[in-house]
Short mmCIF file of all heavy atoms in Angstrom, two decimals:
data_model
loop_
_atom_site.label_atom_id
_atom_site.label_comp_id
_atom_site.label_asym_id
_atom_site.label_seq_id
_atom_site.Cartn_x
_atom_site.Cartn_y
_atom_site.Cartn_z
N MET T 1 0.85 -1.17 0.00
CA MET T 1 0.00 0.00 0.00
C MET T 1 0.89 1.23 0.00
O MET T 1 1.72 1.39 0.88
CB MET T 1 -0.90 -0.05 1.23
CG MET T 1 -1.86 1.07 1.37
SD MET T 1 -2.95 0.66 2.74
CE MET T 1 -3.98 2.05 2.74
N SER T 2 0.73 2.07 -0.98
CA SER T 2 1.56 3.25 -1.07
C SER T 2 1.20 4.25 0.03
O SER T 2 0.07 4.30 0.50
CB SER T 2 1.41 3.91 -2.43
OG SER T 2 0.14 4.50 -2.55
N ALA T 3 2.18 5.02 0.42
CA ALA T 3 1.98 5.98 1.49
C ALA T 3 0.95 7.04 1.11
O ALA T 3 0.13 7.46 1.94
CB ALA T 3 3.30 6.64 1.85
N GLY T 4 0.95 7.45 -0.15
CA GLY T 4 -0.01 8.45 -0.60
C GLY T 4 -1.44 7.96 -0.54
O GLY T 4 -2.34 8.67 -0.08
N GLU T 5 -1.66 6.74 -1.00
CA GLU T 5 -3.01 6.17 -0.97
C GLU T 5 -3.46 5.90 0.46
O GLU T 5 -4.62 6.08 0.80
CB GLU T 5 -3.06 4.88 -1.78
CG GLU T 5 -2.99 5.11 -3.27
CD GLU T 5 -4.19 5.88 -3.80
OE1 GLU T 5 -5.33 5.57 -3.41
OE2 GLU T 5 -3.98 6.79 -4.60
N ARG T 6 -2.53 5.48 1.30
CA ARG T 6 -2.85 5.24 2.70
C ARG T 6 -3.28 6.55 3.37
O ARG T 6 -4.25 6.58 4.12
CB ARG T 6 -1.64 4.64 3.41
CG ARG T 6 -1.90 4.26 4.84
CD ARG T 6 -0.73 3.60 5.52
NE ARG T 6 0.52 3.83 4.81
CZ ARG T 6 1.44 2.90 4.60
NH1 ARG T 6 1.27 1.70 5.03
NH2 ARG T 6 2.56 3.19 3.96
N ALA T 7 -2.58 7.64 3.06
CA ALA T 7 -2.91 8.95 3.62
C ALA T 7 -4.27 9.43 3.13
O ALA T 7 -5.07 9.97 3.90
CB ALA T 7 -1.84 9.95 3.26
N LYS T 8 -4.56 9.22 1.84
CA LYS T 8 -5.86 9.61 1.28
C LYS T 8 -6.99 8.83 1.95
O LYS T 8 -8.03 9.39 2.29
CB LYS T 8 -5.91 9.34 -0.22
CG LYS T 8 -5.21 10.33 -1.06
CD LYS T 8 -5.38 9.96 -2.53
CE LYS T 8 -4.55 10.81 -3.44
NZ LYS T 8 -4.69 10.39 -4.84
N ALA T 9 -6.78 7.53 2.13
CA ALA T 9 -7.80 6.70 2.75
C ALA T 9 -8.08 7.15 4.18
O ALA T 9 -9.24 7.30 4.59
CB ALA T 9 -7.37 5.23 2.74
N LYS T 10 -7.02 7.40 4.93
CA LYS T 10 -7.19 7.81 6.33
C LYS T 10 -7.84 9.19 6.41
O LYS T 10 -8.73 9.42 7.24
CB LYS T 10 -5.82 7.82 7.03
CG LYS T 10 -5.92 8.06 8.50
CD LYS T 10 -6.66 6.94 9.19
CE LYS T 10 -6.67 7.14 10.68
NZ LYS T 10 -7.52 6.18 11.37
N ALA T 11 -7.43 10.10 5.52
CA ALA T 11 -8.01 11.45 5.52
C ALA T 11 -9.50 11.40 5.19
O ALA T 11 -10.30 12.09 5.85
CB ALA T 11 -7.28 12.33 4.51
N GLU T 12 -9.88 10.60 4.21
CA GLU T 12 -11.30 10.49 3.86
C GLU T 12 -12.10 9.93 5.02
O GLU T 12 -13.21 10.38 5.28
CB GLU T 12 -11.48 9.61 2.63
CG GLU T 12 -11.15 10.30 1.33
CD GLU T 12 -11.38 9.43 0.12
OE1 GLU T 12 -11.43 8.19 0.24
OE2 GLU T 12 -11.49 10.00 -0.98
N GLN T 13 -11.54 8.95 5.71
CA GLN T 13 -12.25 8.37 6.85
C GLN T 13 -12.45 9.40 7.95
O GLN T 13 -13.55 9.56 8.49
CB GLN T 13 -11.48 7.19 7.41
CG GLN T 13 -11.53 5.95 6.57
CD GLN T 13 -10.70 4.83 7.17
OE1 GLN T 13 -10.39 4.85 8.34
NE2 GLN T 13 -10.32 3.88 6.35
N VAL T 14 -11.39 10.11 8.30
CA VAL T 14 -11.45 11.06 9.41
C VAL T 14 -12.36 12.23 9.06
O VAL T 14 -13.21 12.62 9.87
CB VAL T 14 -10.03 11.55 9.76
CG1 VAL T 14 -10.07 12.72 10.72
CG2 VAL T 14 -9.21 10.42 10.34
N ILE T 15 -12.22 12.78 7.87
CA ILE T 15 -13.05 13.92 7.47
C ILE T 15 -14.51 13.50 7.37
O ILE T 15 -15.41 14.20 7.83
CB ILE T 15 -12.55 14.52 6.14
CG1 ILE T 15 -11.19 15.17 6.35
CG2 ILE T 15 -13.55 15.53 5.59
CD1 ILE T 15 -10.48 15.54 5.07
N GLY T 16 -14.76 12.33 6.78
CA GLY T 16 -16.13 11.84 6.67
C GLY T 16 -16.79 11.63 8.02
O GLY T 16 -17.94 11.99 8.24
N LYS T 17 -16.03 11.08 8.96
CA LYS T 17 -16.57 10.84 10.30
C LYS T 17 -16.87 12.15 11.00
O LYS T 17 -17.92 12.30 11.64
CB LYS T 17 -15.57 10.03 11.12
CG LYS T 17 -16.08 9.60 12.47
CD LYS T 17 -15.09 8.68 13.15
CE LYS T 17 -15.64 8.13 14.44
NZ LYS T 17 -14.72 7.18 15.06
N THR T 18 -15.98 13.14 10.85
CA THR T 18 -16.18 14.44 11.46
C THR T 18 -17.41 15.13 10.89
O THR T 18 -18.25 15.65 11.64
CB THR T 18 -14.94 15.32 11.25
OG1 THR T 18 -13.80 14.65 11.79
CG2 THR T 18 -15.10 16.67 11.93
N VAL T 19 -17.55 15.11 9.57
CA VAL T 19 -18.70 15.74 8.92
C VAL T 19 -19.98 15.03 9.35
O VAL T 19 -20.99 15.67 9.66
CB VAL T 19 -18.54 15.70 7.39
CG1 VAL T 19 -19.84 16.08 6.69
CG2 VAL T 19 -17.43 16.63 6.96
N ARG T 20 -19.94 13.71 9.37
CA ARG T 20 -21.13 12.94 9.74
C ARG T 20 -21.59 13.27 11.15
O ARG T 20 -22.77 13.51 11.40
CB ARG T 20 -20.83 11.44 9.62
CG ARG T 20 -22.00 10.54 9.98
CD ARG T 20 -21.67 9.08 9.73
NE ARG T 20 -20.47 8.61 10.40
CZ ARG T 20 -20.42 8.23 11.68
NH1 ARG T 20 -21.50 8.27 12.43
NH2 ARG T 20 -19.29 7.79 12.20
N LYS T 21 -20.65 13.30 12.09
CA LYS T 21 -21.01 13.57 13.49
C LYS T 21 -21.50 15.01 13.69
O LYS T 21 -22.46 15.25 14.42
CB LYS T 21 -19.83 13.28 14.40
CG LYS T 21 -19.58 11.80 14.55
CD LYS T 21 -18.47 11.52 15.54
CE LYS T 21 -18.31 10.03 15.70
NZ LYS T 21 -18.72 9.57 17.00
N ALA T 22 -20.85 15.96 13.02
CA ALA T 22 -21.27 17.36 13.13
C ALA T 22 -22.65 17.56 12.52
O ALA T 22 -23.50 18.27 13.09
CB ALA T 22 -20.25 18.27 12.46
N ALA T 23 -22.90 16.94 11.38
CA ALA T 23 -24.20 17.07 10.73
C ALA T 23 -25.29 16.41 11.56
O ALA T 23 -26.41 16.92 11.65
CB ALA T 23 -24.15 16.45 9.34
N HIS T 24 -24.96 15.30 12.18
CA HIS T 24 -25.94 14.62 13.04
C HIS T 24 -26.32 15.53 14.21
O HIS T 24 -27.50 15.65 14.55
CB HIS T 24 -25.38 13.30 13.55
CG HIS T 24 -26.32 12.55 14.43
ND1 HIS T 24 -27.43 11.90 13.95
CD2 HIS T 24 -26.32 12.36 15.78
CE1 HIS T 24 -28.08 11.34 14.97
NE2 HIS T 24 -27.42 11.61 16.08
N ALA T 25 -25.33 16.18 14.80
CA ALA T 25 -25.59 17.07 15.93
C ALA T 25 -26.43 18.27 15.51
O ALA T 25 -27.24 18.78 16.30
CB ALA T 25 -24.28 17.53 16.54
N ALA T 26 -26.25 18.72 14.28
CA ALA T 26 -27.00 19.88 13.78
C ALA T 26 -28.30 19.48 13.10
O ALA T 26 -29.00 20.34 12.55
CB ALA T 26 -26.13 20.66 12.80
N HIS T 27 -28.63 18.19 13.08
CA HIS T 27 -29.86 17.67 12.47
C HIS T 27 -29.93 17.97 10.98
O HIS T 27 -30.96 18.39 10.46
CB HIS T 27 -31.10 18.20 13.18
CG HIS T 27 -31.10 17.90 14.65
ND1 HIS T 27 -31.25 16.62 15.14
CD2 HIS T 27 -30.94 18.70 15.72
CE1 HIS T 27 -31.19 16.66 16.45
NE2 HIS T 27 -30.99 17.91 16.84
N LYS T 28 -28.81 17.77 10.28
CA LYS T 28 -28.73 17.98 8.83
C LYS T 28 -28.57 16.62 8.17
O LYS T 28 -27.47 16.10 8.01
CB LYS T 28 -27.55 18.87 8.46
CG LYS T 28 -27.52 20.21 9.12
CD LYS T 28 -28.59 21.11 8.55
CE LYS T 28 -28.49 22.49 9.19
NZ LYS T 28 -29.52 23.38 8.79
N GLY T 29 -29.68 16.02 7.78
CA GLY T 29 -29.68 14.65 7.26
C GLY T 29 -28.89 14.46 5.98
O GLY T 29 -28.16 13.48 5.82
N THR T 30 -29.02 15.40 5.04
CA THR T 30 -28.34 15.27 3.77
C THR T 30 -26.83 15.34 3.95
O THR T 30 -26.09 14.53 3.39
CB THR T 30 -28.79 16.37 2.79
OG1 THR T 30 -30.19 16.30 2.66
CG2 THR T 30 -28.14 16.21 1.44
N LEU T 31 -26.37 16.29 4.73
CA LEU T 31 -24.94 16.44 4.97
C LEU T 31 -24.40 15.24 5.76
O LEU T 31 -23.27 14.80 5.51
CB LEU T 31 -24.67 17.73 5.75
CG LEU T 31 -23.22 18.15 5.90
CD1 LEU T 31 -22.56 18.30 4.53
CD2 LEU T 31 -23.12 19.46 6.66
N GLU T 32 -25.20 14.70 6.63
CA GLU T 32 -24.80 13.51 7.38
C GLU T 32 -24.58 12.33 6.43
O GLU T 32 -23.61 11.58 6.56
CB GLU T 32 -25.87 13.15 8.41
CG GLU T 32 -25.50 12.01 9.30
CD GLU T 32 -26.56 11.70 10.34
OE1 GLU T 32 -27.58 12.41 10.44
OE2 GLU T 32 -26.36 10.71 11.08
N ALA T 33 -25.46 12.19 5.46
CA ALA T 33 -25.32 11.11 4.47
C ALA T 33 -24.06 11.30 3.63
O ALA T 33 -23.36 10.33 3.31
CB ALA T 33 -26.55 11.06 3.58
N LYS T 34 -23.76 12.53 3.27
CA LYS T 34 -22.55 12.80 2.48
C LYS T 34 -21.29 12.47 3.29
O LYS T 34 -20.33 11.93 2.75
CB LYS T 34 -22.52 14.26 2.03
CG LYS T 34 -23.52 14.56 0.94
CD LYS T 34 -23.46 16.01 0.51
CE LYS T 34 -24.49 16.29 -0.55
NZ LYS T 34 -24.41 17.68 -1.02
N GLY T 35 -21.31 12.80 4.58
CA GLY T 35 -20.17 12.47 5.44
C GLY T 35 -20.00 10.97 5.57
O GLY T 35 -18.88 10.46 5.53
N ALA T 36 -21.11 10.26 5.71
CA ALA T 36 -21.05 8.81 5.81
C ALA T 36 -20.52 8.19 4.52
O ALA T 36 -19.74 7.24 4.55
CB ALA T 36 -22.43 8.25 6.14
N ALA T 37 -20.91 8.75 3.39
CA ALA T 37 -20.42 8.24 2.10
C ALA T 37 -18.92 8.48 1.96
O ALA T 37 -18.19 7.60 1.48
CB ALA T 37 -21.17 8.92 0.96
N LEU T 38 -18.45 9.64 2.39
CA LEU T 38 -17.03 9.94 2.33
C LEU T 38 -16.23 9.01 3.24
O LEU T 38 -15.18 8.49 2.85
CB LEU T 38 -16.77 11.39 2.72
CG LEU T 38 -15.34 11.89 2.63
CD1 LEU T 38 -14.85 11.81 1.19
CD2 LEU T 38 -15.25 13.32 3.14
N GLU T 39 -16.77 8.76 4.41
CA GLU T 39 -16.12 7.84 5.35
C GLU T 39 -16.05 6.43 4.75
O GLU T 39 -15.01 5.76 4.80
CB GLU T 39 -16.88 7.82 6.67
CG GLU T 39 -16.24 6.99 7.73
CD GLU T 39 -17.03 7.00 9.04
OE1 GLU T 39 -18.14 7.55 9.09
OE2 GLU T 39 -16.51 6.46 10.02
N ALA T 40 -17.14 5.98 4.15
CA ALA T 40 -17.18 4.65 3.55
C ALA T 40 -16.21 4.55 2.38
O ALA T 40 -15.54 3.52 2.20
CB ALA T 40 -18.59 4.32 3.10
N ARG T 41 -16.12 5.62 1.58
CA ARG T 41 -15.20 5.61 0.45
C ARG T 41 -13.76 5.49 0.94
O ARG T 41 -12.95 4.77 0.35
CB ARG T 41 -15.38 6.88 -0.38
CG ARG T 41 -14.57 6.86 -1.65
CD ARG T 41 -14.93 7.97 -2.60
NE ARG T 41 -14.82 9.27 -1.95
CZ ARG T 41 -15.66 10.27 -2.15
NH1 ARG T 41 -16.69 10.13 -2.96
NH2 ARG T 41 -15.50 11.42 -1.53
N GLY T 42 -13.44 6.16 2.04
CA GLY T 42 -12.10 6.05 2.61
C GLY T 42 -11.81 4.65 3.10
O GLY T 42 -10.71 4.12 2.93
N MET T 43 -12.81 4.02 3.71
CA MET T 43 -12.63 2.64 4.19
C MET T 43 -12.41 1.69 3.01
O MET T 43 -11.56 0.80 3.08
CB MET T 43 -13.85 2.20 4.99
CG MET T 43 -13.96 2.84 6.32
SD MET T 43 -15.44 2.25 7.16
CE MET T 43 -15.37 3.19 8.64
N MET T 44 -13.17 1.88 1.95
CA MET T 44 -13.02 1.02 0.78
C MET T 44 -11.67 1.23 0.10
O MET T 44 -11.04 0.29 -0.35
CB MET T 44 -14.14 1.27 -0.23
CG MET T 44 -15.50 0.79 0.21
SD MET T 44 -15.67 -0.99 0.20
CE MET T 44 -15.17 -1.47 1.81
N ARG T 45 -11.22 2.49 0.03
CA ARG T 45 -9.92 2.77 -0.56
C ARG T 45 -8.83 2.06 0.24
O ARG T 45 -7.93 1.44 -0.31
CB ARG T 45 -9.65 4.27 -0.58
CG ARG T 45 -8.31 4.64 -1.20
CD ARG T 45 -7.98 6.11 -1.01
NE ARG T 45 -8.93 7.03 -1.57
CZ ARG T 45 -8.85 7.57 -2.79
NH1 ARG T 45 -7.84 7.26 -3.56
NH2 ARG T 45 -9.75 8.42 -3.21
N GLY T 46 -8.92 2.13 1.56
CA GLY T 46 -7.94 1.45 2.41
C GLY T 46 -7.97 -0.06 2.24
O GLY T 46 -6.93 -0.71 2.14
N ALA T 47 -9.16 -0.61 2.16
CA ALA T 47 -9.29 -2.06 1.99
C ALA T 47 -8.73 -2.50 0.64
O ALA T 47 -8.03 -3.51 0.55
CB ALA T 47 -10.75 -2.48 2.10
N ARG T 48 -9.01 -1.72 -0.40
CA ARG T 48 -8.51 -2.05 -1.73
C ARG T 48 -6.98 -2.02 -1.75
O ARG T 48 -6.34 -2.92 -2.30
CB ARG T 48 -9.07 -1.07 -2.75
CG ARG T 48 -8.65 -1.40 -4.18
CD ARG T 48 -9.16 -0.39 -5.18
NE ARG T 48 -8.49 0.87 -4.95
CZ ARG T 48 -9.08 2.06 -4.93
NH1 ARG T 48 -10.38 2.15 -5.11
NH2 ARG T 48 -8.40 3.15 -4.73
N GLU T 49 -6.41 -1.02 -1.13
CA GLU T 49 -4.95 -0.91 -1.12
C GLU T 49 -4.32 -2.03 -0.30
O GLU T 49 -3.26 -2.53 -0.65
CB GLU T 49 -4.53 0.46 -0.59
CG GLU T 49 -4.80 1.59 -1.56
CD GLU T 49 -4.07 1.41 -2.88
OE1 GLU T 49 -2.86 1.10 -2.86
OE2 GLU T 49 -4.71 1.59 -3.92
N ARG T 50 -4.95 -2.41 0.79
CA ARG T 50 -4.43 -3.52 1.60
C ARG T 50 -4.43 -4.82 0.82
O ARG T 50 -3.48 -5.59 0.88
CB ARG T 50 -5.23 -3.68 2.89
CG ARG T 50 -4.80 -2.73 3.98
CD ARG T 50 -5.40 -3.10 5.32
NE ARG T 50 -6.85 -3.18 5.32
CZ ARG T 50 -7.66 -2.12 5.48
NH1 ARG T 50 -7.17 -0.94 5.66
NH2 ARG T 50 -8.96 -2.27 5.46
N THR T 51 -5.50 -5.08 0.07
CA THR T 51 -5.55 -6.33 -0.70
C THR T 51 -4.56 -6.30 -1.85
O THR T 51 -3.97 -7.32 -2.15
CB THR T 51 -6.97 -6.62 -1.24
OG1 THR T 51 -7.39 -5.54 -2.05
CG2 THR T 51 -7.95 -6.85 -0.11
N LYS T 52 -4.36 -5.13 -2.45
CA LYS T 52 -3.36 -5.01 -3.51
C LYS T 52 -1.97 -5.36 -2.96
O LYS T 52 -1.22 -6.06 -3.59
CB LYS T 52 -3.32 -3.59 -4.06
CG LYS T 52 -4.15 -3.35 -5.27
CD LYS T 52 -3.63 -2.11 -5.96
CE LYS T 52 -4.69 -1.06 -6.02
NZ LYS T 52 -4.24 0.18 -6.66
N GLY T 53 -1.69 -4.84 -1.78
CA GLY T 53 -0.38 -5.08 -1.17
C GLY T 53 -0.17 -6.53 -0.80
O GLY T 53 0.91 -7.10 -0.97
N SER T 54 -1.22 -7.19 -0.32
CA SER T 54 -1.09 -8.57 0.09
C SER T 54 -0.95 -9.51 -1.12
O SER T 54 -0.34 -10.56 -1.02
CB SER T 54 -2.27 -9.01 0.95
OG SER T 54 -3.46 -9.03 0.19
N LEU T 55 -1.52 -9.14 -2.25
CA LEU T 55 -1.42 -9.97 -3.44
C LEU T 55 -0.03 -9.89 -4.09
O LEU T 55 0.39 -10.81 -4.76
CB LEU T 55 -2.47 -9.57 -4.46
CG LEU T 55 -3.92 -9.85 -4.06
CD1 LEU T 55 -4.87 -9.29 -5.12
CD2 LEU T 55 -4.15 -11.34 -3.88
N LYS T 56 0.68 -8.79 -3.86
CA LYS T 56 2.01 -8.63 -4.46
C LYS T 56 3.05 -9.48 -3.76
O LYS T 56 4.05 -9.83 -4.35
CB LYS T 56 2.43 -7.16 -4.41
CG LYS T 56 1.69 -6.29 -5.38
CD LYS T 56 2.19 -4.87 -5.30
CE LYS T 56 1.43 -3.99 -6.27
NZ LYS T 56 1.88 -2.59 -6.18
N HIS T 57 2.85 -9.81 -2.50
CA HIS T 57 3.89 -10.52 -1.73
C HIS T 57 3.80 -11.99 -1.91
O HIS T 57 3.19 -12.78 -2.05
CB HIS T 57 3.80 -10.18 -0.25
CG HIS T 57 4.09 -8.73 -0.01
ND1 HIS T 57 5.33 -8.20 -0.15
CD2 HIS T 57 3.29 -7.72 0.34
CE1 HIS T 57 5.30 -6.91 0.13
NE2 HIS T 57 4.04 -6.60 0.42
#
């Protein structure tokens, strides 16, 4: 897993989680869904990179 992709995945997860929690507290359903989607995309990016790395070895 490249360092750049790992950083992108972690950043998407953290930002998505922050947006999701803030939107939930402010009762903004649409923004909460967008934050959850960003968080999920970060998790998927991380999972994809981990499997790529494990297949190379």
Side-chain angles (χ1 to χ4, degrees):
M1 181 172 180
S2 71
E5 288 296 316
R6 185 177 17 223
K8 282 182 188 177
K10 187 64 176 172
E12 283 182 339
Q13 286 178 20
V14 170
I15 292 168
K17 186 173 185 177
T18 303
V19 168
R20 180 176 54 82
K21 287 184 177 249
H24 180 74
H27 304 291
K28 304 288 183 185
T30 303
L31 189 57
E32 185 179 356
K34 288 181 182 182
L38 183 62
E39 184 180 7
R41 187 169 55 219
M43 288 179 183
M44 290 288 91
R45 181 189 301 266
R48 183 183 67 225
E49 288 300 313
R50 278 192 303 276
T51 58
K52 266 200 241 179
S54 67
L55 293 175
K56 287 182 180 178
H57 296 290

